[in-house]
Amino acid sequence: MASSHSTIIFITTLLVLATSISAKEYIVGDGSGWTLDFDYQAWAKDKVFTVGDTLVFNYAPGAHNVMKVDGNNFQHCNIAPLLNGTLTSGRDVIPLKTPGMKWYICGVGKHCELRKMKLSIVVLPQTMTPAPAPIVSQSSKLVVPSIYGFLVALFGGLVLLLA
């Protein structure tokens, strides 16, 4: 009985660990942060956002804010009605908890309309995350990402536990 209890704990830990390893933190705008005249759509274009990831909006408090809006309000830079209030900390961390389209704007002055402070992204479910492409070195040997080696080691440990 103790062996099956240990196995359940091990598998649960493995699932939690695998989920936390795959989650990413995205600094919106990278080094530029959440600022005027930055092309956030170009920034987001090549990124894959999944449930469990987080967005971090960095800006000078008082100079900007972050508002989560719907698609129509995003298109027209309307600041009302708000879905989740206005974030104003200067380092706003937004966990991506559900899949689907997400829209964010700056509600200060005309920052959204005239200065391009708006971001729309698609958040995928965790199970739909594309697998990383294999990297082939110049010697034509396949390089396996380290996460796979880690998972193989954990599953190997599970097999030994059950044996």
Side-chain angles (χ1 to χ4, degrees):
M1 190 68 164
S3 178
S4 65
H5 182 61
S6 297
T7 302
I8 291 170
I9 291 174
F10 179 77
I11 291 172
T12 303
T13 303
L14 176 63
L15 291 174
V16 169
L17 187 58
T19 301
S20 66
I21 289 172
S22 65
K24 295 180 185 172
E25 179 179 87
Y26 292 96
I27 307 297
V28 175
D30 296 322
S32 297
W34 186 234
T35 189
L36 302 170
D37 304 317
F38 186 91
D39 189 347
Y40 291 100
Q41 293 319 115
W43 171 82
K45 183 177 80 168
D46 296 327
K47 293 174 176 53
V48 178
F49 301 97
T50 57
V51 170
D53 291 347
T54 55
L55 296 177
V56 179
F57 290 82
N58 290 322
Y59 57 92
H64 305 295
N65 61 32
V66 178
M67 300 176 137
K68 182 176 181 183
V69 295
D70 62 23
N72 186 50
N73 288 315
F74 177 83
Q75 287 286 348
H76 299 97
C77 290
N78 293 332
I79 60 173
L82 299 176
L83 298 178
N84 288 332
T86 303
L87 304 173
T88 60
S89 73
R91 187 179 193 287
D92 302 322
V93 179
I94 300 175
L96 302 176
K97 296 180 180 179
T98 59
M101 290 293 302
K102 309 294 180 197
W103 300 274
Y104 304 95
I105 64 173
C106 178
V108 174
K110 300 261 184 206
H111 292 185
C112 178
E113 298 98 323
L114 303 177
R115 307 299 293 271
K116 301 192 308 185
M117 284 191 74
K118 56 196 290 185
L119 169 67
S120 68
I121 62 171
V122 177
V123 179
L124 301 175
Q126 281 184 333
T127 57
M128 290 187 61
T129 304
I135 302 168
V136 179
S137 69
Q138 295 200 357
S139 65
S140 298
K141 292 182 182 175
L142 184 63
V143 177
V144 178
S146 60
I147 185 68
Y148 295 123
F150 176 74
L151 291 176
V152 167
L154 283 176
F155 284 119
L158 177 62
V159 169
L160 289 174
L161 237 174
L162 296 174

